[in-house]
Amino acid sequence: MSYNCFINLCKERLYYEKTNQLTGYPSIDKPQNKYYRKTPIRKISIEQTIYDLVFVSNRKNMNDIAIGYLGTNITFKELKNKTDRAAHALYQQGIREGDVILIGVSNSPEAVIVLLALNKLGAISKWFDVRASEKDIEKYANDSNCKYTIIFDMLIPKINMIINRTSLQHIIIINPTDSLSYIKQILFKIKSKITKNFFCLPKDSRFILFNDLLKKNKSKTYIPTAKFNPQKPSIMIQSSGTTGKPKTIVHSDLSCTSCTAKIAYSDIPFGRGKTSLVLLPPWIAYGLGNAIILPMALGSKVELSPIFSPEAIMQYLGKFTLAFAAPFNYRYLRDSFDTLTEKQKEMVKKIECLISGGDKISVEENKNFEKLFGTKLINGYGNNECWGVLTVNPVLHNKYGTVGIPKYGDTIIAYDNITGQELSYGKIGEICTLSDTAFLYYENNSTNTNTVKKIHKDGHLWIHTGDLGFIDKNGYITLSGRIQRVIVRLGFKIAAYTIEDKICEHTAVKECVAIAVKDIIEESVPMVYIILKDEYKNDIDQIKKKIFQKCTNELKQYEIPKYFRFVESLPYTQNGKYNFKLLEQEGNKYVKTLETT
């Protein structure tokens, strides 16, 4: 950062402080500050391990329930005892500080126990999607030279296939029912045998049951907690790969502790006596860090759902005060609302807050959700590189169509990659963030790390999200699409969100996704997939004409879609986001069919 640039920034700041006038730049004005709590829900020290974050924060309420799981409740005191016992057992098994442990488990108390136990030891937990292929699991293990893996029993066949091509020496098996009552375990085993979903432990000394490991460990020797180090790797998670090859993202404890400390200043109703429903998997930051660890550290109970399908939310009505989920969960609840009993509808209205992330929600959709549910639904935004949440709407100042304001203490700008300058209010640029919740690096991938983490002219290291958007004068961020989701038509660049948002304004439209398809004349053109509301499905031809007319009147000529497809549903990825790649493939097949007829 040059001396003159620094002097100018200081002058701008002094002018703003003296006159209370906006400078035109969000990084200086920070207009969002008026929406934060004056005091946090809890004061959180960022200089501590994740293990201490959970247990030190709750030292005065250890008898409160920390985890709910299929009818089983575990207090913070019980969770700490189980975690300490597991830490000692894993230490006896040979795990030491700095070891990378491959983790293939889904939502369960054991998932939380394993995370906290390994964190106490200073080991690094490397999480992967339990639906991953044998080839991917083999790569995850070999990239980190893992000698240990902790997995659900359903992964035994996959591990058996690749174990001799890896350095894996200890395979620790968890059954999803380990925390359930004896009767429920028996019923589950009977059901598993009927459905042939039963996995036997191989006759191989490298395989051991997690429960047997705990039983063998009779010692009550105290294992000290590893020291906090903001530069030491702690957790690894996998990127979804929706915009490129999947990457392993490396975080330190600071990402988690700082994120918790910042969200404590939001008006989201966390705290003692609250229950957060977790409809997200633990192998993404939004699930592991935001939906599980964060609420627990702020004193809330987390209700863990072992399934993440759209209809899962229906099973938990009346059991939570706020929820972390993807838009498709709330869409399913909306579409099924008329089938609910009056008692169930009252349960929905008593929910204090529904938190959505991972995909967009239009203005009209957000309004309809809140009107139908009778409760607040706030949309947020983030990525795995910044430990999940980057922005979230204030509950009391929810601005539809936006993804909210930066979390407390973070700076977010719209950035012009050509000039290397921050853009003023309302101008679209790449969303970049300055936050200590940022990742350390991509494993074995310095090239991509340096592409995402860049030093700007101010001398700070910024995270480039790859998303386009703008910031308004109140600090709210509106996304305009991915840089990779820009449709190029005859040299004109079109943000897919621009088309989607305009079409979603039509009262007949429930959902809309715009993609690029190949075209003989123009090379690439916009195509839209549209889902209509039920009451309009019998009048598709008329609705199509009206939507086309709306696009003609309100979009630039080159932004008007060339192809319109009306569908009953849209495909999602395993992480609950629209599957753009599949839509593009199907779209190109559809266009090719039209061209040959």
Side-chain angles (χ1 to χ4, degrees):
M1 184 178 191
S2 70
Y3 177 76
N4 288 335
C5 182
F6 175 74
I7 293 298
N8 288 335
L9 282 175
C10 288
K11 287 179 179 178
E12 287 176 342
R13 167 53 71 184
L14 287 171
Y15 174 76
Y16 170 66
E17 289 177 349
K18 287 180 179 180
T19 65
N20 201 25
Q21 297 291 315
L22 296 178
T23 67
Y25 294 95
S27 68
I28 299 173
D29 301 336
K30 299 191 182 299
Q32 69 273 10
N33 284 353
K34 57 181 173 286
Y35 299 117
Y36 302 128
R37 292 175 183 265
K38 291 183 179 179
T39 57
I41 299 170
R42 273 186 176 173
K43 289 186 177 181
I44 300 292
S45 169
I46 65 172
E47 296 186 348
Q48 60 181 333
T49 63
I50 297 174
Y51 172 90
D52 284 336
L53 173 68
V54 172
F55 296 122
V56 173
S57 298
N58 290 291
R59 62 189 180 280
K60 294 181 180 179
N61 52 280
M62 293 297 283
N63 289 322
D64 287 1
I65 296 173
I67 296 174
Y69 178 70
L70 299 177
T72 296
N73 288 320
I74 300 174
T75 65
F76 284 102
K77 183 177 181 180
E78 291 168 333
L79 179 63
K80 186 176 186 303
N81 289 337
K82 290 174 182 287
T83 297
D84 289 344
R85 187 180 173 198
H88 192 273
L90 294 172
Y91 184 84
Q92 291 295 99
Q93 193 69 11
I95 294 177
R96 295 293 183 270
E97 183 170 353
D99 288 345
V100 180
I101 316 302
L102 193 62
I103 308 293
V105 300
S106 192
N107 280 351
S108 67
E110 285 71 29
V112 181
I113 290 166
V114 163
L115 165 68
L116 296 175
L118 291 174
N119 187 259
K120 183 178 185 179
L121 295 176
I124 304 162
S125 54
K126 183 176 184 177
W127 296 72
F128 70 89
D129 189 332
V130 297
R131 300 162 295 191
S133 66
E134 294 91 343
K135 184 179 179 181
D136 285 338
I137 298 172
E138 180 182 347
K139 185 178 186 306
Y140 297 147
N142 287 335
D143 282 350
S144 302
N145 194 31
C146 297
K147 294 181 175 60
Y148 298 82
T149 184
I150 302 175
I151 59 168
F152 266 180
D153 56 7
M154 59 181 278
L155 289 173
I156 289 175
K158 290 183 179 180
I159 296 296
N160 252 331
M161 291 182 69
I162 58 100
I163 187 171
N164 292 327
R165 300 196 296 271
T166 69
S167 299
L168 292 172
Q169 299 171 12
H170 306 271
I171 295 81
I172 301 168
I173 310 297
I174 291 173
N175 188 296
T177 67
D178 283 347
S179 289
L180 300 183
S181 66
Y182 179 72
I183 294 175
K184 285 186 178 180
Q185 287 188 36
I186 295 297
L187 292 174
F188 184 86
K189 286 180 181 179
I190 293 172
K191 182 180 178 181
S192 297
K193 287 182 178 180
I194 293 173
T195 58
K196 296 182 180 179
N197 233 0
F198 191 78
F199 304 96
C200 296
L201 191 69
K203 293 181 179 179
D204 184 329
S205 61
R206 291 174 292 184
F207 290 78
I208 183 172
L209 294 174
F210 183 63
N211 276 348
D212 288 348
L213 196 67
L214 297 178
K215 289 174 184 176
K216 287 198 308 182
N217 175 50
K218 301 294 183 181
S219 173
K220 293 184 179 181
T221 304
Y222 176 74
I223 300 292
T225 306
K227 292 182 179 179
F228 169 78
N229 182 342
Q231 296 303 315
K232 182 174 73 70
S234 173
I235 293 177
M236 297 182 181
I237 48 181
Q238 311 304 320
S239 70
S240 62
T242 54
T243 56
K245 290 184 178 180
K247 298 175 283 291
T248 298
I249 303 163
V250 183
H251 281 278
S252 71
D253 286 337
L254 180 62
S255 295
C256 189
T257 57
S258 179
C259 183
T260 303
K262 292 170 185 287
I263 295 299
Y265 281 91
S266 76
D267 65 354
I268 301 174
F270 293 115
R272 296 183 66 186
K274 309 295 185 181
T275 300
S276 299
L277 174 62
V278 184
L279 288 171
L280 302 162
W283 50 80
I284 59 174
Y286 182 28
L288 187 65
N290 304 162
I292 298 177
I293 301 301
L294 188 153
M296 288 174 59
L298 296 178
S300 299
K301 169 187 174 182
V302 293
E303 185 70 39
L304 300 176
S305 172
I307 56 174
F308 319 116
S309 54
E311 69 275 11
I313 192 170
M314 303 285 281
Q315 301 175 23
Y316 293 92
L317 294 180
K319 297 180 181 178
F320 62 95
T321 57
L322 65 153
F324 285 87
F328 66 61
N329 294 111
Y330 303 130
R331 288 172 184 142
Y332 187 91
L333 181 59
R334 172 198 61 196
D335 296 341
S336 306
F337 201 77
D338 289 341
T339 67
L340 298 183
T341 65
E342 289 303 314
K343 184 177 180 180
Q344 287 175 316
K345 289 179 181 178
E346 284 301 314
M347 290 176 180
V348 174
K349 290 180 181 178
K350 289 181 179 179
I351 298 169
E352 296 182 35
C353 183
L354 298 170
I355 303 169
S356 179
D359 228 329
K360 65 175 291 187
I361 292 179
S362 69
V363 174
E364 192 64 29
E365 191 174 29
N366 208 150
K367 286 181 181 178
N368 291 337
F369 277 144
E370 291 197 354
K371 183 178 179 181
L372 182 65
F373 298 157
T375 190
K376 291 288 185 180
L377 189 148
I378 59 173
N379 198 25
Y381 155 73
N383 57 25
N384 283 312
E385 283 80 359
C386 288
W387 197 243
V389 62
L390 275 171
T391 70
V392 67
N393 263 284
V395 178
L396 298 178
H397 299 276
N398 190 14
K399 188 169 184 179
Y400 305 137
T402 76
V403 291
I405 61 175
K407 59 184 185 289
Y408 180 85
D410 282 3
T411 300
I412 291 181
I413 62 173
Y415 184 74
D416 187 327
N417 280 294
I418 297 175
T419 64
Q421 298 291 335
E422 175 184 0
L423 295 168
S424 56
Y425 297 113
K427 293 184 179 178
I428 295 176
E430 183 179 8
I431 299 298
C432 296
T433 182
L434 188 63
S435 175
D436 54 6
T437 65
F439 74 127
L440 295 175
Y441 51 83
Y442 293 122
E443 184 184 34
N444 303 327
N445 197 333
S446 59
T447 300
N448 276 327
T449 301
N450 294 332
T451 299
V452 173
K453 300 180 80 170
K454 295 180 180 179
I455 296 177
H456 286 190
K457 293 177 181 179
D458 60 4
H460 294 301
L461 192 62
W462 292 76
I463 298 296
H464 283 240
T465 66
D467 291 305
L468 296 171
F470 65 88
I471 303 170
D472 67 23
K473 291 183 179 180
N474 285 308
Y476 287 84
I477 291 95
T478 299
L479 298 180
S480 303
R482 291 285 299 178
I483 289 177
Q484 292 91 336
R485 280 197 73 213
V486 171
I487 302 167
V488 181
R489 183 181 196 177
L490 297 176
F492 293 100
K493 293 182 179 180
I494 310 164
Y497 272 29
T498 301
I499 300 172
E500 293 164 353
D501 288 347
K502 188 56 62 181
I503 291 177
C504 281
E505 288 176 0
H506 195 285
T507 55
V509 176
K510 182 189 288 186
E511 295 177 55
C512 174
V513 170
I515 58 157
V517 291
K518 296 177 183 177
D519 184 74
I520 292 177
I521 300 173
E522 301 179 78
E523 293 187 352
S524 177
V525 295
M527 173 179 176
V528 290
Y529 288 88
I530 298 171
I531 299 178
L532 294 180
K533 296 174 183 175
D534 291 340
E535 61 267 34
Y536 295 96
K537 289 181 178 178
N538 293 326
D539 199 16
I540 290 180
D541 289 339
Q542 286 299 316
I543 297 298
K544 181 178 179 180
K545 289 179 182 177
K546 291 179 180 179
I547 291 175
F548 181 78
Q549 191 61 49
K550 181 177 177 64
C551 291
T552 302
N553 294 340
E554 300 178 33
L555 290 174
K556 296 181 179 71
Q557 186 176 2
Y558 60 84
E559 292 175 335
I560 301 170
K562 184 169 182 177
Y563 301 100
F564 293 77
R565 287 201 71 184
F566 291 85
V567 295
E568 289 294 321
S569 62
L570 290 165
Y572 290 91
T573 66
Q574 291 182 332
N575 287 339
K577 298 181 179 181
Y578 287 126
N579 194 328
F580 299 114
K581 290 181 181 178
L582 182 58
L583 287 171
E584 286 174 0
Q585 291 172 4
E586 292 180 350
N588 283 313
K589 288 180 182 177
Y590 173 75
V591 172
K592 197 170 184 179
T593 302
L594 292 178
E595 291 172 346
T596 56
T597 56

